[in-house]
Amino acid sequence: MGKEVPGGYHGKILRVNLSNKSTTDEAIDELFCRRYLGGVGFISYYLWKELKQGVDALAPENMLIFALGPISGLQLPGAARHCVGAKSPMTGGIAKAEVGGFWAAELKRAGYDAIIVEGKADKPVYLWVQDGEASIRDASHLWGKETKETETAVRDELGDNRVQLALIGPGGENKVRYACIMHGLHDAAGRGGLGAVMGSKNLKAVAVRGHKLPRLADRERIKEIRQQLLARVDAIPFPISEFGTGGFEMLWEESVGNLPVRNFRDGLFPEVKQIHAGVIKDTIRVGMEGCFACPIRCKKVVQFEEPYNVDSAYGGPEYETLAALGSNCGINNLKAIVRGNHLCNAYSLDTISTGVTIGFAMECFEKGFLSTKDTDGIELRFGNDEAMLKSIELIARRQGFGNLLAEGTARLAKKIGKGSEAFAMQVKGLETAMHDPRTKTGLGLGYMVTPAGGDHCCNMMDLFVADEKMLKPLNPLGMIDPVPVMDIGPRKVGMFKVMQSSAIIEDSMVTCLIAPFTFQLKADVLTAVTGWDTSIAELLRVAERVLTVARLFNIREGFSAADDVLPERFFQPKTDGVLADKQLDKAKFEKAKSFYYTLMGWDAKGVPLPEKVEELYIE
Amino acid sequence: MGKEVPGGYHGKILRVNLSNKSTTDEAIDELFCRRYLGGVGFISYYLWKELKQGVDALAPENMLIFALGPISGLQLPGAARHCVGAKSPMTGGIAKAEVGGFWAAELKRAGYDAIIVEGKADKPVYLWVQDGEASIRDASHLWGKETKETETAVRDELGDNRVQLALIGPGGENKVRYACIMHGLHDAAGRGGLGAVMGSKNLKAVAVRGHKLPRLADRERIKEIRQQLLARVDAIPFPISEFGTGGFEMLWEESVGNLPVRNFRDGLFPEVKQIHAGVIKDTIRVGMEGCFACPIRCKKVVQFEEPYNVDSAYGGPEYETLAALGSNCGINNLKAIVRGNHLCNAYSLDTISTGVTIGFAMECFEKGFLSTKDTDGIELRFGNDEAMLKSIELIARRQGFGNLLAEGTARLAKKIGKGSEAFAMQVKGLETAMHDPRTKTGLGLGYMVTPAGGDHCCNMMDLFVADEKMLKPLNPLGMIDPVPVMDIGPRKVGMFKVMQSSAIIEDSMVTCLIAPFTFQLKADVLTAVTGWDTSIAELLRVAERVLTVARLFNIREGFSAADDVLPERFFQPKTDGVLADKQLDKAKFEKAKSFYYTLMGWDAKGVPLPEKVEELYIE
């Protein structure tokens, strides 16, 4: 590898130590960039290489990393994303979350490939990064503010309305374990408690603004690829720009049993027809928005004032939020769900973990494991929308019962006991997303083995490999035989590895999973941007490296194969609906896990073999 | 997969049973073609799927398979090749050999993707395939004839000088275990004793002639790729069209210790300067030839009449032959070596196994393990060129001592005993090629694990990964860090797996390893020819499948990890030269083998895991 910085990179990261108020530029070289690409690749590497074993996730020593990829922020559809990571306060392993919007594009133009924040400020601060200059500024006056007030105040203070902010509200400040980091007001780096890490550092916001892209290896070719992508955007067969996620397909999700209903316990939720994005479009939606340079406007903008205020600035709920705060809590009041979304974005709370934690508490309440004495008088029953909204307020401020809810499902279950762990819907401490392995087995394997825990993004959707037509995008990888949705044999494991790798590639480059990049286009755009003679095969190898580094990090933090397990509930049938007589077979999942380890070059205990680590040049 | 036959294939193989004189057309479908591609892929599959366990390689039940790939015979540089395979009379496992020339192009135009020959004719026959018609014809009058006489006679008989023949001479007829199948008079499907299998079936020749290519998916794109390849041919940096193989680099081979000298025992052979292709060019060479449609004219044509006759029709010796019949036998008489090449081609003997067997016998003779009583009076000493030539004659006819030599090194060593196995230079029963693992460790691993035994083609050359510039073709696969030539750690094993896969891809498509196909061009040409949306990643997956099927076949035939070993001699230093104080470390090679199994998804004993077999859709 040459010494020259490859196209698409600045070859420079910003290292910030809040304890001693230092900001330092640090060079990264081409070999490192090619080995890890960026995004989750960079994050996994730095956590593994630098973070001392056993550091508390909320201690100053934890590292909070914002990492772009070579594609992040370029003038391309689906390229507005970056990845944020840290040691997770939820799991104690790696937390990583991708996010879109406009922040990545500004940081790219501000001259950095990544920002690593360490230490803890002695009082609230925010970081201001502009065109290669970084400063740490007082944020005492912003502490306690919701995200919208914060964004407005910082932009006013800096005198530039185009400053983009990664920021936290009270949820992050109060170190709610599943606090997220908002980017703008409706794009969340959601999972794993990154907002709590930010709060623990007394870091209110990272404000960025820039004007200069790095060198790009072949601008003409990038333009061609842009045209190809735009043509493919026009051909997207589902109405993503009309409904975003959570449209009419939610009716189908319910009909096949995938929709989580009352803490994943039940199957039937006919009221789904009142809470999907088709209804949103016809009632409260005022528009659709997109990310930087992307014509796919997949984000709902909603607004209403009665019975609660919902500010259009906070965007509208995605499928995950509609299900987590809705059906999963037995709630059929669309406006309450949307208000819940507004609150989570204002307070910087992950809507998935919030909804699953509340749903779990509701089930405990109904079972008598919790009473109104525990819940500050709240009748925490499924379907009680006011209880859900009240809970969010308490969580964000860690007030009363909220202080317990703020710890997340796993810790709550441990405290409650009485067998509640069996229906605590989490893996490694991270709440599962709104997809039920009882309807898609490969996703279940993903929940088990994905380094971050119960995550659906670095995972597979089994439907996409279940028929010839859906499978077409994977044909170039030699995946030419469809695998049934409910198969969890070796063929599904093989598919899973490819799909998981695909997600890791997206999260390293960083690109959006909704944007119609084919595998070949990912390789093509990487070549055009960096100048490397690369291919799909190299991307798969990078994914294997990144997943292995993340695994090594988790193992050093004490994880083992025993942590790669699903909640017991998934091995039970649902109470009603099409899955009332179906359940997963635990032995088959254990076998699948074991074969996944084999395919990864890990031993029977899930520990990467030293030879494999060496072969992948993890050093 | 659709039902339509993909471009580049006829979707049809010819099944011939010589016992009952039947010839049958058999359909192959797209799914099979995409899973196995052709060439060694088809051969491995059919042997595994159809051959009954434990069949003697020389029994009628063995299958002799000639398989084209989708690229074979197209109007492209390096596309004139096909693969021939059977259960090997040398190893008892899979034998496979690739060969160029003009035969593949004719069979392609004759309407078949492959020919499978089973059974045994009650008297000598030849097979005549022309434009979709096949017939079995009497060859009694041809039996005993050398290849040139046979080719002439068959062409005369069929009245067409453009008929191409795969054929055997007396070596094959007499079932010399390492008899090869000649294609024309100077292109050999050399290794593993395929000519003996052909002889055991009383099959003298397979004559082919045709006029119609199959449908090609995108002819314009193929033309473009042809232009790219032609440009790359012009840019080949080494003088392949001037010397073929075995040019001045042989001097370097000797200087670094790679050149086998006196049965791989010694290092120094200063007379190498008398036997390399530079000398051939200046003395006996009358021209250069190439294969069908290929501008790389890499094949020497030589001619002289004194002191022996060498017919230009038989071509000239490649590096392997110059070393095997030359330095490996201590012979410095170039004309004798070239005469040996002529004889091997006339008799259909593999020059590598011939030379190594004779070299081994010479060492045994010098050690006193053999005497002139055993050798029919021949003073079988290193450097005795007349003894070498006489031995070839005896071998081909299995006369006297030749009958023993015709069994090959492994069987000869077993018969002689007295510790001679330690310097019997063979793996699994197949003689190692003219490359010494003491100078290239990855190749040693290849000798150990390659299904066919001591083969250098389905293998790696360590030099090609040892510096950044040489490594460039592998960059697109994420191989971006050079690995030292003598490293045999996990990184070399990873490189080996990629290089071995590359060879298997070539042998399945089928393309020539000298032609300047990049990985991307292989994927591109496959797409253009077949219409498949494929990529390098799919090609690597096919290679893994083919290697695993071949392994399964070998294991069924009784092979185990204990057979994946190098001859003892490689763990000893050479007697002189630069390797006089160097030897390989056996423990390191065992570790490398074990990690190779891991990377392949095989268990610690080298048996493919059932899950891996299923995941690869081997069924």
Side-chain angles (χ1 to χ4, degrees):
Chain A
M1 295 288 96
K3 296 288 171 205
E4 205 185 348
V5 175
Y9 296 88
H10 294 284
K12 201 171 74 173
I13 64 171
L14 175 63
R15 176 91 62 168
V16 177
N17 190 310
L18 294 175
S19 297
N20 61 24
K21 301 185 176 54
S22 68
T23 63
T24 323
D25 287 359
E26 207 173 281
I28 53 174
D29 66 17
E30 180 169 21
L31 190 61
F32 173 68
C33 293
R34 192 155 181 177
R35 280 191 186 157
Y36 291 96
L37 287 183
V40 67
F42 281 9
I43 287 165
S44 302
Y45 173 80
Y46 281 111
L47 287 175
W48 170 75
K49 188 74 180 177
E50 299 190 3
L51 195 65
K52 225 180 96 188
Q53 183 182 10
V55 163
D56 187 282
L58 299 176
E61 291 77 12
N62 198 1
M63 303 165 76
L64 179 64
I65 309 175
F66 299 79
L68 308 181
I71 314 303
S72 297
L74 301 188
Q75 195 82 27
L76 290 166
R81 294 174 79 80
H82 65 286
C83 187
V84 189
K87 176 170 177 174
S88 168
M90 295 294 282
T91 71
I94 186 171
K96 66 110 190 160
E98 290 70 47
V99 57
F102 293 80
W103 194 90
E106 283 305 323
L107 182 63
K108 191 74 153 198
R109 286 161 181 77
Y112 293 101
D113 299 316
I115 302 175
I116 299 178
V117 183
E118 298 160 298
K120 178 183 177 178
D122 51 9
K123 54 178 188 176
V125 296
Y126 72 91
L127 181 65
W128 168 225
V129 182
Q130 185 185 28
D131 292 314
E133 300 285 330
S135 56
I136 298 167
R137 297 171 66 106
D138 180 49
S140 302
H141 55 300
L142 304 171
W143 209 246
K145 285 194 199 305
E146 296 179 12
T147 51
K148 187 177 178 185
E149 298 169 77
T150 307
E151 182 182 74
T152 305
V154 171
R155 283 179 172 173
D156 286 352
E157 193 168 308
L158 297 173
D160 186 345
N161 247 333
R162 299 186 69 175
V163 168
Q164 296 296 331
L165 270 75
L167 75 172
I168 54 172
E173 294 174 13
N174 294 317
K175 301 184 266 293
V176 173
R177 283 194 185 267
Y178 44 88
C180 65
I181 301 177
M182 297 303 297
H183 289 72
L185 304 184
H186 52 74
D187 292 302
R191 311 292 332 262
L194 296 163
V197 176
M198 194 154 161
S200 76
K201 297 188 173 307
N202 273 332
L203 180 64
K204 181 68 177 175
V206 179
V208 293
R209 184 79 171 101
H211 299 82
K212 192 166 181 297
L213 280 178
R215 179 182 69 85
L216 302 173
D218 186 346
R219 283 175 180 275
E220 285 310 308
R221 183 77 184 107
I222 295 171
K223 280 185 199 161
E224 283 171 25
I225 291 169
R226 181 164 182 270
Q227 291 309 316
Q228 286 180 52
L229 283 169
L230 290 173
R232 291 180 56 82
V233 166
D234 290 340
I236 292 178
F238 46 94
I240 189 81
S241 296
E242 200 172 349
F243 301 110
T245 60
F248 286 96
E249 74 274 13
M250 272 184 83
L251 305 179
W252 173 83
E253 302 278 12
E254 192 256 1
S255 74
V256 300
N258 184 58
L259 186 73
V261 178
R262 297 178 198 89
N263 196 35
F264 291 83
R265 183 188 69 192
D266 306 337
L268 296 177
F269 193 72
E271 307 101 303
V272 65
K273 60 183 182 293
Q274 303 164 29
I275 65 168
H276 66 73
V279 182
I280 293 177
K281 185 190 171 202
D282 292 340
T283 57
I284 55 177
R285 205 189 75 184
V286 295
M288 294 296 285
E289 284 188 344
C291 296
F292 175 81
C294 184
I296 310 170
R297 298 175 72 78
C298 67
K299 299 175 179 190
K300 308 164 193 76
V301 186
V302 297
Q303 189 175 9
F304 55 88
E305 287 174 13
E306 295 296 336
Y308 343 83
N309 172 48
V310 162
D311 188 331
S312 62
Y314 285 119
E318 300 298 333
Y319 164 73
E320 298 295 323
T321 307
L322 290 166
L325 300 180
S327 59
N328 189 59
C329 292
I331 289 170
N332 60 20
N333 176 350
L334 178 61
K335 283 192 166 181
I337 299 167
V338 176
R339 170 69 181 171
N341 181 67
H342 165 122
L343 293 177
C344 285
N345 289 354
Y347 299 154
S348 71
L349 297 178
D350 173 28
T351 58
I352 298 175
S353 286
T354 301
V356 175
T357 302
I358 294 172
F360 171 74
M362 285 173 164
E363 185 165 353
C364 287
F365 188 90
E366 293 201 349
K367 275 187 180 321
F369 298 170
L370 292 171
S371 71
T372 48
K373 280 184 211 162
D374 303 299
T375 64
D376 307 321
I378 301 172
E379 282 287 325
L380 201 64
R381 294 190 181 280
F382 285 125
N384 186 344
D385 48 3
E386 289 303 326
M388 179 269 287
L389 292 175
K390 180 70 186 166
S391 296
I392 293 177
E393 302 274 5
L394 295 176
I395 290 166
R397 303 200 153 78
R398 277 190 180 266
Q399 288 172 346
F401 183 52
N403 195 37
L404 198 54
L405 291 175
E407 292 292 290
T409 309
R411 286 171 174 81
L412 188 54
K414 201 168 173 194
K415 188 163 178 89
I416 291 170
K418 299 176 184 168
S420 64
E421 287 93 341
F423 56 89
M425 305 312 287
Q426 52 80 28
V427 178
K428 295 185 179 64
L430 186 73
E431 287 76 11
T432 57
M434 297 297 107
H435 304 267
D436 195 313
R438 284 169 290 191
T439 64
K440 30 182 140 175
T441 48
L443 172 109
L445 175 62
Y447 280 161
M448 290 164 78
V449 301
T450 292
D455 175 64
H456 67 296
C457 290
C458 187
N459 208 324
M460 82 180 288
M461 291 294 156
D462 299 63
L463 201 64
F464 294 165
V465 305
D467 75 45
E468 284 209 357
K469 200 175 157 200
M470 298 288 273
L471 188 59
K472 270 190 182 298
L474 290 182
N475 286 172
L477 281 76
M479 296 306 190
I480 54 179
D481 300 85
V483 182
V485 165
M486 292 307 293
D487 184 313
I488 189 61
R491 291 166 178 188
K492 181 61 69 70
V493 179
M495 284 289 190
F496 169 74
K497 189 185 172 210
V498 164
M499 301 286 276
Q500 187 192 35
S501 295
S502 170
I504 290 289
I505 292 164
E506 284 163 356
D507 298 347
S508 300
M509 291 187 60
V510 180
T511 57
C512 176
L513 62 80
I514 289 174
F517 281 94
T518 60
F519 273 98
Q520 191 56 53
L521 276 169
K522 285 176 200 163
D524 288 350
V525 76
L526 192 61
T527 294
V529 168
T530 62
W532 297 330
D533 180 16
T534 187
S535 82
I536 299 173
E538 175 163 28
L539 293 178
L540 291 172
R541 183 164 161 82
V542 170
E544 206 171 52
R545 180 180 297 124
V546 172
L547 282 163
T548 299
V549 169
R551 182 82 181 178
L552 288 171
F553 174 75
N554 274 1
I555 287 192
R556 191 172 63 199
E557 294 300 327
F559 285 88
S560 73
D563 299 295
D564 295 343
V565 289
L566 289 175
E568 279 301 315
R569 172 151 284 171
F570 290 134
F571 301 109
Q572 307 297 330
K574 295 198 170 193
T575 56
D576 54 18
V578 295
L579 299 182
D581 58 353
K582 292 196 180 65
Q583 66 202 72
L584 299 179
D585 179 335
K586 198 181 286 186
K588 285 186 184 169
F589 276 80
E590 283 299 307
K591 271 193 187 171
K593 179 173 92 178
S594 173
F595 183 51
Y596 170 77
Y597 294 165
T598 301
L599 286 182
M600 291 301 292
W602 303 349
D603 72 13
K605 294 180 174 174
V607 180
L609 292 166
E611 294 87 350
K612 184 71 191 177
V613 173
E614 188 176 341
E615 195 269 327
L616 287 171
Y617 288 82
I618 296 171
E619 56 187 10
Chain B
M1 294 289 95
K3 295 288 171 204
E4 204 187 346
V5 175
Y9 296 90
H10 294 284
K12 203 170 72 173
I13 64 171
L14 175 63
R15 175 89 66 166
V16 178
N17 189 310
L18 294 175
S19 297
N20 62 25
K21 300 183 177 52
S22 68
T23 63
T24 322
D25 286 359
E26 209 172 280
I28 54 173
D29 66 15
E30 181 170 19
L31 190 60
F32 172 68
C33 293
R34 192 155 180 176
R35 279 190 188 157
Y36 291 96
L37 287 184
V40 68
F42 282 9
I43 287 165
S44 301
Y45 173 81
Y46 280 111
L47 288 175
W48 171 75
K49 188 74 179 176
E50 299 189 2
L51 195 66
K52 225 179 96 188
Q53 180 180 13
V55 162
D56 188 282
L58 299 175
E61 291 76 12
N62 198 1
M63 302 164 76
L64 180 64
I65 308 174
F66 299 79
L68 309 181
I71 314 305
S72 296
L74 301 188
Q75 196 80 30
L76 291 166
R81 293 174 82 80
H82 65 287
C83 186
V84 191
K87 176 169 175 173
S88 168
M90 295 293 283
T91 71
I94 187 170
K96 65 112 191 161
E98 290 67 46
V99 56
F102 293 80
W103 193 90
E106 283 305 325
L107 182 62
K108 191 74 155 199
R109 285 160 182 76
Y112 292 101
D113 299 316
I115 302 175
I116 299 178
V117 183
E118 297 160 301
K120 178 184 177 176
D122 52 8
K123 54 178 188 177
V125 295
Y126 71 92
L127 182 66
W128 168 222
V129 182
Q130 185 185 30
D131 291 317
E133 302 283 333
S135 57
I136 298 167
R137 297 172 67 108
D138 181 49
S140 302
H141 56 299
L142 304 172
W143 209 247
K145 284 195 197 305
E146 295 179 11
T147 51
K148 185 178 181 185
E149 299 170 76
T150 307
E151 182 182 74
T152 305
V154 171
R155 284 178 170 174
D156 286 352
E157 195 169 305
L158 297 173
D160 186 346
N161 247 334
R162 300 185 69 174
V163 166
Q164 296 297 331
L165 270 75
L167 74 171
I168 55 172
E173 295 174 11
N174 294 317
K175 302 186 267 293
V176 173
R177 284 192 186 268
Y178 45 87
C180 65
I181 300 179
M182 297 302 297
H183 288 71
L185 304 183
H186 51 73
D187 292 301
R191 313 289 335 257
L194 296 161
V197 176
M198 194 155 162
S200 75
K201 296 187 175 309
N202 273 331
L203 179 63
K204 182 68 176 173
V206 179
V208 294
R209 183 78 169 102
H211 299 82
K212 192 168 179 298
L213 279 178
R215 178 182 70 84
L216 302 173
D218 187 346
R219 283 177 182 276
E220 285 311 306
R221 183 77 185 107
I222 295 170
K223 278 185 201 162
E224 283 171 24
I225 291 168
R226 180 165 183 272
Q227 290 310 316
Q228 286 180 53
L229 283 168
L230 290 173
R232 289 179 57 82
V233 166
D234 289 340
I236 291 177
F238 44 94
I240 189 79
S241 295
E242 198 172 352
F243 300 109
T245 60
F248 286 95
E249 74 274 14
M250 272 183 84
L251 304 180
W252 175 81
E253 302 278 13
E254 192 255 1
S255 74
V256 298
N258 183 59
L259 186 75
V261 178
R262 297 177 197 89
N263 195 35
F264 291 84
R265 185 190 67 191
D266 305 338
L268 296 178
F269 194 71
E271 308 100 305
V272 65
K273 61 183 181 293
Q274 305 166 28
I275 65 168
H276 65 75
V279 182
I280 293 178
K281 184 190 170 201
D282 292 340
T283 55
I284 55 179
R285 206 189 74 183
V286 296
M288 294 297 285
E289 283 187 343
C291 295
F292 174 82
C294 186
I296 309 169
R297 300 176 71 78
C298 66
K299 298 173 180 191
K300 311 163 191 73
V301 186
V302 298
Q303 191 175 10
F304 55 88
E305 286 173 13
E306 294 296 339
Y308 343 83
N309 172 47
V310 161
D311 189 331
S312 62
Y314 286 120
E318 300 299 333
Y319 164 72
E320 297 295 323
T321 307
L322 290 167
L325 301 179
S327 58
N328 190 58
C329 292
I331 289 170
N332 59 20
N333 175 349
L334 178 62
K335 283 191 167 182
I337 299 167
V338 176
R339 171 67 181 172
N341 180 67
H342 164 124
L343 292 177
C344 286
N345 289 353
Y347 299 153
S348 70
L349 297 178
D350 173 29
T351 57
I352 297 174
S353 285
T354 301
V356 174
T357 302
I358 293 171
F360 171 74
M362 286 173 162
E363 184 164 352
C364 287
F365 188 91
E366 294 202 348
K367 276 185 176 326
F369 298 170
L370 293 171
S371 72
T372 47
K373 281 186 207 156
D374 303 299
T375 63
D376 307 323
I378 301 173
E379 283 284 329
L380 202 63
R381 293 188 183 280
F382 285 124
N384 185 343
D385 49 3
E386 289 302 328
M388 180 270 287
L389 292 174
K390 180 70 184 165
S391 295
I392 294 177
E393 302 274 6
L394 295 176
I395 290 166
R397 303 200 153 77
R398 277 189 177 271
Q399 286 172 348
F401 183 54
N403 195 37
L404 197 53
L405 292 176
E407 292 292 291
T409 308
R411 286 172 176 79
L412 188 54
K414 202 168 172 190
K415 188 162 177 92
I416 290 170
K418 299 178 185 167
S420 64
E421 286 93 342
F423 56 89
M425 305 312 287
Q426 52 80 28
V427 178
K428 296 185 179 63
L430 186 74
E431 286 77 9
T432 56
M434 297 298 108
H435 304 268
D436 195 313
R438 285 169 288 192
T439 64
K440 29 183 142 176
T441 49
L443 173 110
L445 176 62
Y447 280 161
M448 290 165 79
V449 301
T450 291
D455 176 63
H456 67 296
C457 290
C458 187
N459 208 324
M460 81 179 289
M461 292 295 158
D462 299 63
L463 202 62
F464 294 166
V465 304
D467 74 47
E468 283 209 357
K469 199 174 159 200
M470 297 290 271
L471 188 59
K472 269 190 182 299
L474 289 182
N475 285 172
L477 281 77
M479 297 306 193
I480 53 179
D481 300 84
V483 183
V485 165
M486 292 307 291
D487 183 313
I488 191 59
R491 291 167 178 187
K492 181 60 73 66
V493 178
M495 284 290 191
F496 169 74
K497 188 185 171 209
V498 165
M499 301 287 276
Q500 187 192 35
S501 295
S502 171
I504 289 290
I505 293 164
E506 284 162 357
D507 298 348
S508 299
M509 290 189 55
V510 182
T511 56
C512 175
L513 64 79
I514 289 174
F517 281 95
T518 60
F519 274 98
Q520 191 56 54
L521 277 169
K522 285 176 199 163
D524 287 350
V525 76
L526 192 60
T527 294
V529 168
T530 62
W532 296 331
D533 180 16
T534 188
S535 81
I536 299 172
E538 176 162 26
L539 293 177
L540 292 172
R541 183 164 160 81
V542 169
E544 204 170 52
R545 181 181 295 124
V546 171
L547 282 163
T548 299
V549 169
R551 183 81 182 180
L552 287 171
F553 174 76
N554 274 2
I555 286 190
R556 190 171 66 201
E557 295 298 328
F559 284 88
S560 73
D563 299 295
D564 296 341
V565 289
L566 289 174
E568 280 300 317
R569 172 150 287 172
F570 290 135
F571 301 109
Q572 307 297 332
K574 294 197 170 193
T575 55
D576 54 18
V578 293
L579 300 182
D581 58 353
K582 294 199 177 64
Q583 64 202 73
L584 299 179
D585 179 335
K586 199 182 285 186
K588 285 185 184 170
F589 276 80
E590 284 297 308
K591 271 194 187 172
K593 178 172 90 176
S594 174
F595 183 52
Y596 171 78
Y597 294 165
T598 301
L599 286 182
M600 291 300 292
W602 303 350
D603 72 13
K605 293 178 173 176
V607 180
L609 291 167
E611 293 86 351
K612 185 71 191 177
V613 173
E614 187 177 341
E615 195 269 326
L616 287 170
Y617 288 83
I618 296 171
E619 53 186 12

